[in-house]
Amino acid sequence: MRSSRIDTARLTLQVHESGPEDGTPVVLIHGNLSTGRFYEHLFEDAPERYRLIAPDMRGFGDSDRAPIDATRGLRDWADDVHALLQALGTTAPPHLAGWSTGGAAIAHYAMEHPVASLTFIDPVSPYGYGGVALDGTPHFDDFAGSGGGTGNPEFAARVAAGDRSEEGDTAPRNVMNTSYWRVGHREPPKREELLLGEILKSLTGDDGYPGDTATSEHWPGVAPGTRGILNALSPKYCNWADIVDVDPKPPILWTHGAQDIVVADGSPWEMGTLGSLGVVPGWPGADTFPPQPMVQQIRAVLSEYEARGGRVEMTIYEESGHFPPLDARERWAAQFWSFLG
């Protein structure tokens, strides 16, 4: 693996790579509160014909701590990827893999530029995160119940403080080990420390995690702001359901961990579920604000993509959490390289 800072027309990115510089580009986009190094365990056994490119996206890792314009959804990330590939001098359409937040970024990239394939790894719903019905209709016109105001302020403060402890549910280490992969999975100590350190590099506050917020007359009293990552994931700005209209249609691989609690039907991180459990008081009920059926939404959009002539491979990893490339690494890598081939 080699790692370097690459100047692009938009910002300077820290980029982790392996494989020949003239190889087929495979770009691996991480999720929220992570970096490109979450993919590095895949590099050693990758087929030699691929050039693996795993950037730290804006606001994360060692890349520029540039703000995220939430009103563009994840298009900032998509444009950053395009600028990176131009800076690297790649000309072939890339294979793109996007984990969680990165899933929306690669979808937006594919709506603007040719790609060889798309791999969605437990992606954010095509209708964003929080406050929408099955068909993507918001529960309230101002998209209340999504965006920066739904983030946990104690967790954000502990990330900002560089907290490496194991004290309490909001300790970044504990969030990583209970939410990023299946419960019970632990990386070797050295690797765990490295990945925790990558999380702690995240830009926090209004321009990063969780982002700014707005008040709402609707439950739970907060609506999306215009800055930061959680607002970029709000259904007000994040919507990649139009992927079904892409022509020509690149082949798609969707892998999902059945034990994922971040992207799930009834995720305990989403306001509809938190309200139904009594964690957030005043919930107006399932008729007004039901939990978001995220996996059903992903399946419906990708099924429509398939019905319109696209090739889609869907696999549920029963023993995995939010990131099967790590907690089911051998099986996932075999499927991924086979799919690219």
Side-chain angles (χ1 to χ4, degrees):
M1 189 182 79
R2 54 192 182 272
S3 186
S4 60
R5 288 177 63 78
I6 305 295
D7 293 326
T8 78
R10 289 175 56 81
L11 78 169
T12 299
L13 295 171
Q14 187 75 26
V15 182
H16 317 284
E17 296 184 75
S18 73
E21 291 190 359
D22 61 350
T24 301
V26 179
V27 185
L28 306 165
I29 306 302
H30 62 78
N32 191 8
L33 295 162
S34 59
T35 71
R37 296 200 68 176
F38 276 69
Y39 287 109
E40 68 183 15
H41 61 283
L42 299 173
F43 286 12
E44 184 175 357
D45 296 324
E48 294 181 359
R49 63 183 178 276
Y50 295 124
R51 180 184 186 179
L52 302 189
I53 304 167
D56 295 350
M57 301 308 293
R58 67 168 57 214
F60 295 95
D62 294 315
S63 289
D64 283 356
R65 299 174 74 79
I68 295 171
D69 179 357
T71 65
R72 305 190 69 231
L74 273 299
R75 291 175 181 83
D76 266 354
W77 277 21
D79 290 349
D80 291 345
V81 171
H82 184 61
L84 171 62
L85 291 175
Q86 288 183 314
L88 293 174
T90 62
T91 56
H95 296 279
L96 299 180
W99 169 34
S100 194
T101 298
I106 67 169
H108 284 302
Y109 186 104
M111 287 187 246
E112 298 290 337
H113 310 284
V115 300
S117 72
L118 295 170
T119 296
F120 292 104
I121 307 165
D122 293 57
V124 61
S125 163
Y127 303 113
Y129 202 95
V132 291
L134 178 60
D135 64 357
T137 302
H139 301 321
F140 300 114
D141 291 343
D142 63 355
F143 294 85
S146 68
T150 65
N152 186 305
E154 182 179 347
F155 170 69
R158 295 180 76 164
V159 171
D163 187 342
R164 288 181 171 269
S165 74
E166 295 187 57
E167 300 172 4
D169 293 341
T170 59
R173 183 188 303 275
N174 294 338
V175 171
M176 178 179 71
N177 284 323
T178 59
S179 304
Y180 284 41
W181 26 86
R182 69 174 184 273
V183 175
H185 177 86
R186 294 292 290 262
E187 286 292 285
K190 184 176 179 180
R191 174 74 170 162
E192 180 175 304
E193 291 300 324
L194 184 148
L195 295 179
L196 175 61
E198 295 297 291
I199 293 172
L200 296 178
K201 294 176 180 179
S202 303
L203 174 65
T204 56
D206 288 349
D207 286 325
Y209 179 90
D212 65 348
T213 189
T215 59
S216 173
E217 63 179 324
H218 306 295
W219 185 87
V222 295
T226 60
R227 300 152 60 194
I229 193 67
L230 291 192
N231 292 311
L233 290 167
S234 164
K236 185 174 183 178
Y237 310 118
C238 178
N239 187 316
W240 55 270
D242 288 344
I243 191 77
V244 300
D245 296 324
V246 169
D247 185 31
K249 288 179 164 53
I252 287 177
L253 170 64
W254 171 40
T255 62
H256 180 80
Q259 298 182 34
D260 186 357
I261 65 169
V262 180
V263 174
D265 291 344
S267 166
W269 284 26
E270 192 266 334
M271 281 291 151
T273 303
L274 291 171
S276 69
L277 296 173
V279 176
V280 179
W283 181 56
D287 290 340
T288 301
F289 205 118
Q292 183 181 354
M294 302 178 191
V295 177
Q296 293 182 58
Q297 291 170 334
I298 298 166
R299 187 181 298 278
V301 168
L302 295 185
S303 295
E304 179 64 20
Y305 185 93
E306 191 172 38
R308 297 191 188 191
R311 181 166 70 85
V312 180
E313 185 176 331
M314 307 184 192
T315 302
I316 302 297
Y317 282 68
E318 296 295 338
E319 301 302 320
S320 290
H322 190 45
F323 194 40
L326 193 145
D327 65 10
R329 64 186 69 191
E330 292 182 3
R331 178 189 170 194
W332 189 91
Q335 182 178 17
F336 182 55
W337 303 131
S338 175
F339 169 73
L340 296 193

